[in-house]
Amino acid sequence: MFKVAIVGSGPAGLSAAARAAALGMSHVLLEKTDHLSDTIFKYQKGKHVMATPSNLVLRSDIDFEAGKRETILGIWDEQIAGHKVNVMLHAEVAKIEGKKGAFSIHLRNGEVIKAEAVVLAIGTQGNPNKLRCPGADSPIIQYQLDDPGEYYDEHITVVGSGDAGIENALGLAADPAQRNVVTILNRSADFARAKAANVALLEEAEREGRVIVRRETTPAEVRENELLLDTRDGQEAIRCNRIIARTGSQPPRGFVEAMGIEFSSPEPGAFPKLSPVFETTTPGIHVIGALAGYPLIKHCMNQGYDVIEFLNGNHDLKPADEPILAEKFARLPGNRSVEEWLEVFGRNVLILNDLSTLQLRELLLDSTCHAYEPGEVIFRRNEPGSSMFAIAEGSVAVEVNPADPSVTVPIEQGSIFGEVGLISGRRRGATVRAAEPVVALELSRTAALKLLATSPGAARAVNAISIERQLLQMFGSGLTREDVAPLVASAEVVQARAGQVIVTEGADDKDVFIVRRGSMIVEKQIGDRPVFLSYLPAGSYFGEMAVIDGSTRTATVKAAIKSEVIRLPGQGFLDLLDANPALRERAMKDMAGRRATNAFIESRKDEFSGAVDLYSQTAAFLVDNGIGEATDVLLIDEKLCIGCDNCEKACADSHDGLSRLDREAGRTYAHLHVPTSCRHCEHPHCMADCPPNAIKRGPDGEVFIDETCIGCGNCQRNCPYGVIRMDAKPPKKPSLLQWMLFGSGPGPGEAPYSWRKKKAEEEGVAKAKLAIKCDMCAGIDGGPACVRACPTGAAIRVSPDKFLTFTKLTEDAE
Amino acid sequence: MMATKAGGTGRFTQDEKRRDSDHVSFLKHRGFRWLWVALALCGTAILGYLMIDQQPRPNGGSWYGYTLGTIGFGLIVWLSLLGVRKRRITTGQWSLKAWTSAHVYLGLSLIVIGTLHTGFQIGWNVHTLAYVLMLLVIITGIYGVIAYATLPASLSANRKEMTRAQMIEALTAIDRQLESAAQPLERTEADLVINALGQDVFSGGALARLTGRYPGCATACALGGMGRQSEAEQRVVALLEKRREQLAQIRQQLRIRALLEIWLFIHIPLTIALIAALVAHVISVFFYW
Ligand SMILES: Cc1cc2nc3c(=O)[nH]c(=O)nc-3n(C[C@H](O)[C@H](O)[C@H](O)COP(=O)(O)OP(=O)(O)OC[C@H]3O[C@@H](n4cnc5c(N)ncnc54)[C@H](O)[C@@H]3O)c2cc1C
Ligand code: HEM
């Protein structure tokens, strides 16, 4: 019977095991693969591993500092052996039974290990999905492909139609000299889950006969050197010596829940509920590392150390992040200790009430604390900002009327504000000032989203508040919370897929909708074709016409991208109008404006039907290319573009010598070209899974990557538009004058790869490959260099709500 | 700091204006602002020329001539700086489009300014050399503007959403297929394919590139000499046709790009020559004075 069994030998598990060994605690470290730290083992060869956050001290018996993957793994292997850690490789844990003091840990190979306590440090990688057909345990199936160059003369079938599968298939077929026959199976008819660029490459490989693509086909049975397929036209067997299954992976949640461990919410982003000593709801089982919600190596290692200290009875140990929190709180008035502040925030702020101390600490690490004097501005109208504020002490005043700052609405202690920016991704709707001395917490977008995913109570509270505020903000001054209370009570949030129809032309339903997140397009059937009427960004409302004048729907409204709308019953809306003549007047005015636009486009239809068709189709093309979620997008009018690439050169020359845009790549319609360049999405996909939270929205609305980037490449994989590249900062070029006069250096623009490589070798310092993307030339006076450097006016950067209009899209340049 | 940014004067206002921008070409920039400036400049110069009594006769040596000469010299120096502006990506509210717009119209106004400066005294000397060089630069510039205004649409149409790299890749892919398809062919026919594959895509020189005519094209030649009987031959012919189409796209791309750029190879060196001639012109004027 061991005192503790540590499952998983990532940085968290290793550090825990090393501490146990150092304390002389009886322990075992169980690892499912044949080597330590599988996640880091699987990093690309030579990857530069980063040690962020730099202000966090490392507390561990094994060393870790930034460096090459191989070096770090080497040091760990050596030190784990040096500490005489009791490691068991090939020990995949399948099930854990028993309770505190007497756990039975069942390994996949049947062995059972006994321990008093368990530390789960299995990370978040999970297990690859297995094939679900007879023969699924055949040895010819593998779930990973490390080096596609090592297979020759084989019939290989790749199962799975995501990016991983496609990339594997292309890799296996890349070199005809390997003479592989590569087939890829796709359950559906199209490759909707993969990036467009990958799909294009696959289709090309298919046309050239390098890869066999079988659509609407699934594996039916794995046999010896043969694979039986279920196709649309019945079953068929193909030759097959190897199967690469890339059908995604199963997060470890199911495995963890099977031990009776509760998660904080059903959302996919949730983590196990933990006590301050990392104990789960199943006493005796502890969770640390990425699985506990701490994805950076340093955090993982510190927790490994801490959890063993706690198990060893050291209850006075302060977490390693204590000094960081102390520094955060130092700027607040009142000289209170970290403990006291945690207590104040946890108790006073409504949405933080349900959090454990551990969760609260983590949330505060990702947040900023502020103290404001009465009258001080917290944020202003039209500032970009996706953070959310919570008031721990004091109250604030919201200036609801831009024309008259004296008209304010109060928000009291314990409540939140700024949530509209978080939900819609749009700019601040109003200026907010402190009404009395205020202590507030600013939750970064990531911290706020994590909170909503982990605390259902917080999610409900934010939802209710945001609907109310949205109504107040949209319908302007004069309304009170009491006025909109009945509407808020009957409001319902509806999720919409891209393309989903919310309102159908000709129907006689009577609801009013508010776009809460995402955007909508309005279309009308004229003759035999749908005509694009307008684009509605988040924060607009629609459906009011039919409600006000009792007619049927005059146009179809559908989601441009994945969106959320708030549905309000029409009668409630009418009641609100009846009670507020000023509001009624505004609604009538809005409606008249919309009518006029529609009538204008309809009248044009008869005169210049060509122009309307062009407008409609161009708008549809832009929306199809993701412009609906953009806030600032580069477009190129190819009737003006002379192909000089000065935009790319300017981009490189104003950003460390690497271009963040690819002018030629991308789609084109009616000479309007959408190059590969960041659109600064309202809800950036790249932010979704960034271990150091290095991707942020800056003060000018730009989405940028800060210096804490660890180069993991998650953002590059998550961006559906392929605008992020991984590259090392190139060496400095000789100046422009030197080039013009003496021809030294590679000249303006991005230096060729060969030059950069040679020069970097001369300099001798290897630089890490980090993620780089457009930052909209933040901090550069004059704005985006790509636009300023275009000699003919072809390059423009626009926002969809301003650009998707009849005049802009049909504007005729020479 | 945040406050000023969102407050109205800072980057936010700049950005909002930019995000609302139209795609207007350099020629129409700001409602032809620089066209009007240039016309006003020319009008004033002509008016001055007619009204002012220049003694002994209108030429570069009168005080009015000096004035025109100085304006012209200043303009030429400024026009030449476009090459620097284009490559020095400094901060600030400049736009290369506005520069190009002004460059074109003010450059054209030099025809009037320069001609009036000569006082219509033309001869075989360094002064006239400078004048002629200036006219040549301007003429090439006019070609450039015409090219910029008419060619981009066809460049875009020819590209069909493909990048240069993708066009080459597509050709390589066809070549790979051709290579294996040509295996069963007999010697003479196989040689034709080998010739086609071996020929450098970019062969043919500057003339071919500009005209888009490649009389020595081995792919066209192979198509001509290939039989169409056997299945193998038909397959090769189909692939050769594909290759010819792909080549045509690449060549058309090269042609338009060349037409868009060729004039700069005259415009820029002549600008350098012009500045040298101007310096000689100015020095000689002061020397003989
Ligand atoms: C490409 C990439 C680059 C990154 N770069 C950095 C970086 O530069 N700096 C940084 O700080 N972070 C980086 N990260 C994040 C970091 O690697 C992870 O967050 C960290 O490894 C998590 O550590 P862990 O100990 O919690 O789990 P893991 O490292 O995931 O380790 C879990 C271990 O448990 C084993 N295991 C799983 N299930 C079982 C089971 N049932 N039985 C037995 N064993 C099991 C696994 O085989 C594995 O060895 C990167 C991540 C990726 C994907
Ligand atoms: C004496 C007069 C002129 C001088 C000295 C001059 C000089 C120059 C120079 C140095 C460049 C920079 C080229 C480069 O570096 O890429 C340039 C570009 C150009 N010039 Fe002129 N020029 C003159 C007149 C004109 C006129 C009259 C026109 C048009 C009617 C014209 C049209 C252009 C155009 C279109 C460009 C290209 C801009 C670009 O692609 O960035 N120029 N000129």
Side-chain angles (χ1 to χ4, degrees), chain A residues 480-562:
Chain A
T480 62
R481 290 171 66 178
E482 290 68 45
D483 291 334
V484 296
L487 263 190
V488 174
S490 54
E492 182 198 352
V493 176
V494 183
Q495 311 285 331
R497 283 175 284 103
Q500 187 172 328
V501 172
I502 308 292
V503 161
T504 313
E505 185 176 350
D508 59 2
D509 54 320
K510 294 276 181 295
D511 287 329
V512 177
F513 298 87
I514 299 175
V515 188
R516 180 180 201 229
R517 169 191 174 127
S519 54
M520 300 283 140
I521 49 184
V522 186
E523 279 180 354
K524 190 171 175 62
Q525 199 72 22
I526 300 184
D528 53 350
R529 277 192 290 269
V531 168
F532 183 96
L533 291 181
S534 58
Y535 169 85
L536 300 175
S540 9
Y541 65 101
F542 61 92
E544 81 292 0
M545 290 190 193
V547 173
I548 293 176
D549 60 14
S551 61
T552 56
R553 301 289 192 189
T554 52
T556 294
V557 183
K558 61 185 192 189
I561 50 166
K562 181 168 171 268

Side-chain angles (χ1 to χ4, degrees), chain B residues 226-283:
Chain B
M226 192 66 58
R228 277 147 171 85
Q229 272 85 41
S230 72
E231 207 173 295
E233 281 171 335
Q234 281 163 9
R235 209 172 123 62
V236 169
V237 166
L239 282 168
L240 280 173
E241 266 160 8
K242 252 169 96 180
R243 185 172 207 274
R244 186 175 58 185
E245 272 163 40
Q246 189 52 58
L247 273 180
Q249 187 194 25
I250 296 176
R251 287 172 176 166
Q252 177 69 350
Q253 192 74 6
L254 287 175
R255 185 172 108 88
I256 303 175
R257 284 299 301 270
L259 289 172
L260 279 167
E261 278 168 8
I262 175 100
W263 64 281
L264 279 171
F265 290 97
I266 309 173
H267 199 71
I268 299 173
L270 282 185
T271 297
I272 297 170
L274 167 61
I275 290 176
L278 270 182
V279 171
H281 157 71
V282 173
I283 290 175

